[in-house]
């Protein structure tokens, strides 16, 4: 496999006299540019709520690529990565939920103080975009830098494409199960909890309900597995990649539709007898959201889960909504990570959520190949092995 530009140094970190850690990180410096490896300084003086994590592995998500290509306006240069897992090395004075030595999965960031956060809906934090995509802490400060410049970090409160990540107590989840490898658990922090949570938390899909999942990447296949857990039937997976549709069948889809070869709307109507109770749209293509609404039965719900480029709009048949149909957006599967990720691990242990079948492992120095494989569909969920 091809190596990325620059290569992670054998010395992953060192603490310096200026209270910084030297870390190796994959940095994006320009729009559409490669991930390049650089040695950076990470401020080691933790704030009261902060947690220093030695990164063992990190999933690579389509969102990382969207930011690399500047479809989402995180400032560059930046260290991305938002599906990290690792070992806690240090904690701030106010941290009580984890201690040094704990194994953790890192998830999305939220402020912890706004109304959505205080009412148990942190995925809809009033400061969600700056907290996750702003390239700094919410107060505008940054812990990553070189001798001469600031490097934007704190991506999703972690920037896990590095040998160390600075998270907070709010976005780390302690993993008590010592038997499951951390490298396997990394993707639980975003893509997997988003798809599964959409079914189990957001929509609370009932047994016997008909479900359509449009797009069978990580999020879509997680939704398919969760729909099977919920007892939904039929579960219809829609995609244009035969291999992914085959996998969807193995993971719980009762029917598959190849959108390249079939009239998707007609097939859904045929299978469901007129319309689906739930349609999950994950591709973020406007015409697919239009299709999702059109494919609903009366009183059905269409859920937009995929992140569309800024300014994207989709036409919706307004009269269809008069049949009691609902259209809603879903962020992070309405998950409280500290509660939901352990539930997903329990389901995996019971053989009911076999997400390991989605994962392809890469070395940290293969990050650019992993990104390419994500774009081409050669890999469903790349996971980078970063440390031990």
């Amino acid at each position: 496999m091809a190596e990325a530009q620059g290569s992670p140094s054998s010395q992953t970190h060192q603490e310096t006299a200026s209270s910084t850690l030297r870390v190796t990180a994959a940095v994006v410096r320009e729009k559409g540019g490669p991930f390049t490896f650089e040695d950076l300084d990470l401020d080691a003086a933790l704030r009261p709520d902060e947690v220093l994590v030695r990164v063992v592995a990190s999933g690579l998500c389509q969102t990382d690529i969207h930011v690399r290509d500047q479809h989402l306006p995180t400032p560059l240069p930046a260290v991305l990565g938002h599906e990290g897992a690792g070992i806690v090395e240090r904690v701030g004075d106010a941290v009580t939920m984890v201690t040094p030595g704990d194994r953790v999965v890192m998830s999305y960031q939220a402020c912890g103080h706004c109304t959505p956060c205080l009412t148990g809906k942190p995925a809809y934090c009033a400061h969600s975009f700056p907290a996750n995509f702003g390239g700094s802490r919410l107060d505008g400060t940054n812990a990553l830098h070189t001798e001469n410049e600031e490097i934007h970090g704190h991506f999703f409160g972690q920037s896990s494409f590095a040998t160390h990540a600075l998270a907070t107590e709010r976005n780390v989840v302690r993993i008590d199960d010592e038997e499951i490898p951390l490298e396997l658990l990394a993707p639980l922090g975003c893509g997997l909890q988003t798809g599964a949570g959409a079914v189990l938390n957001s929509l609370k899909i009932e047994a016997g309900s008909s479900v359509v999942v449009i797009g069978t990447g990580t999020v879509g296949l997680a939704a398919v597995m969760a729909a099977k857990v919920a007892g939904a039937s039929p579960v219809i997976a829609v995609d244009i990649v035969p291999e992914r549709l085959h996998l969807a069948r193995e993971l719980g889809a009762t029917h598959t539709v190849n959108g390249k070869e079939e009239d998707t709307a007609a097939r859904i109507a045929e299978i469901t007898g007129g319309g689906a109770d739930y349609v999950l749209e994950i591709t973020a293509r406007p015409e697919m959201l239009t299709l999702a609404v059109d494919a609903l039965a009366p009183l059905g719900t269409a859920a937009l889960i995929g992140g569309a480029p800024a300014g994207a709009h989709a036409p919706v048949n307004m009269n269809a909504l008069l049949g009691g149909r609902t259209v809603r957006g879903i962020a992070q599967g309405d998950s409280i990570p500290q509660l939901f990720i352990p539930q997903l691990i329990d389901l995996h242990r019971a053989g009911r959520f076999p997400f390991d079948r989605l994962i392809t492992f890469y070395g940290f120095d293969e990050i650019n190949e992993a990104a390419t494989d994500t774009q081409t569909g050669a890999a469903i969920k790349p996971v980078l092995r970063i440390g031990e």
Side-chain angles (χ1 to χ4, degrees):
M1 292 186 174
E3 289 193 357
Q5 294 188 16
S7 183
S9 63
S10 59
Q11 182 181 21
T12 58
H13 77 280
Q14 62 183 18
E15 188 159 5
T16 68
S18 58
S19 296
T20 63
L21 290 176
R22 180 61 56 87
V23 303
T24 299
V27 181
V28 176
R29 285 196 164 270
E30 59 185 20
K31 178 180 178 179
F35 294 94
T36 59
F37 288 103
E38 301 183 25
D39 290 331
L40 307 177
D41 289 323
L42 175 66
D43 292 340
L46 302 188
R47 295 187 177 188
D49 65 339
E50 289 183 334
V51 178
L52 179 67
V53 178
R54 174 170 55 81
V55 181
V56 170
S58 179
L60 188 149
C61 176
Q62 191 69 47
T63 300
D64 297 304
I65 296 171
H66 286 328
V67 172
R68 180 199 66 182
D69 297 341
Q70 290 291 276
H71 300 311
L72 294 167
T74 296
L76 303 179
V79 177
L80 307 179
H82 63 287
E83 293 182 338
I87 308 295
V88 174
E89 289 204 341
R90 293 173 53 200
V91 300
D93 293 342
V95 173
T96 60
M97 294 178 66
V98 295
T99 59
D102 284 346
R103 305 163 81 242
V104 294
V105 167
M106 292 177 278
S107 190
Y108 67 90
Q109 185 60 284
C111 76
H113 304 294
C114 67
T115 297
C117 285
L118 293 175
T119 54
K121 299 290 184 182
Y124 305 100
C125 172
H127 307 285
S128 179
F129 196 88
N132 291 287
F133 292 95
S136 67
R137 299 182 180 96
L138 275 173
D139 65 3
T141 61
N142 209 311
L144 278 174
H145 52 89
T146 69
E147 185 177 349
N148 300 313
E149 68 175 331
E150 180 177 280
I151 305 295
H152 294 284
H154 306 277
F155 186 64
F156 277 70
Q158 53 182 285
S159 288
S160 56
F161 292 163
T163 50
H164 280 76
L166 191 60
T168 69
E169 186 172 38
R170 291 183 300 284
N171 71 313
V172 295
V173 181
R174 190 180 68 205
I175 305 300
D176 293 326
D177 189 330
E178 297 286 341
E179 297 182 1
I180 300 180
L182 280 172
E183 63 184 22
L184 190 66
L185 300 181
L188 289 173
C190 184
L192 291 168
Q193 79 170 357
T194 296
V199 171
L200 301 175
N201 300 329
S202 309
L203 301 175
K204 295 180 172 60
I205 290 176
E206 308 90 351
S209 299
S210 54
V211 177
V212 178
V213 177
I214 302 177
T216 55
T218 301
V219 176
L221 290 172
V224 166
M225 290 186 283
K228 182 179 180 181
V229 169
S233 183
V235 177
I236 306 166
V238 179
D239 208 306
I240 59 174
V241 181
E243 294 80 6
R244 293 194 176 195
L245 290 173
H246 180 73
L247 180 58
R249 279 268 194 180
E250 294 182 349
L251 294 177
T254 60
H255 300 76
T256 58
V257 178
N258 188 321
K260 253 186 187 176
E261 301 174 355
E262 304 174 78
D263 182 328
T264 303
R267 278 292 288 142
I268 292 172
E270 178 186 356
I271 294 166
T272 60
D277 297 316
Y278 299 95
V279 181
L280 283 67
E281 204 302 282
I282 301 166
T283 70
R285 294 173 55 186
E287 67 272 23
M288 291 295 100
L289 182 58
T290 301
L291 171 66
V293 176
D294 292 343
L296 289 174
L299 300 175
T301 299
L304 174 64
I305 302 174
H313 292 81
V316 172
N317 181 350
M318 295 171 64
N319 286 327
L321 301 183
L322 298 178
R325 297 170 177 87
T326 299
V327 182
R328 64 157 296 184
I330 293 175
Q332 295 291 336
D334 284 84
S335 302
I336 298 174
Q338 291 81 1
L339 299 177
F340 192 55
I341 287 176
Q343 293 174 23
L344 293 179
I345 294 172
D346 287 343
L347 287 170
H348 177 267
R349 190 186 298 110
R352 303 178 68 197
F353 191 67
F355 64 88
D356 53 297
R357 298 192 59 189
L358 313 185
I359 292 174
T360 303
F361 291 107
Y362 296 79
F364 193 17
D365 60 354
E366 296 169 329
I367 186 171
N368 287 313
E369 182 173 349
T372 298
D373 288 351
T374 299
Q375 292 177 285
T376 63
I380 296 174
K381 172 48 64 179
V383 172
L384 305 171
R385 290 180 167 124
I386 294 176
E388 296 180 356

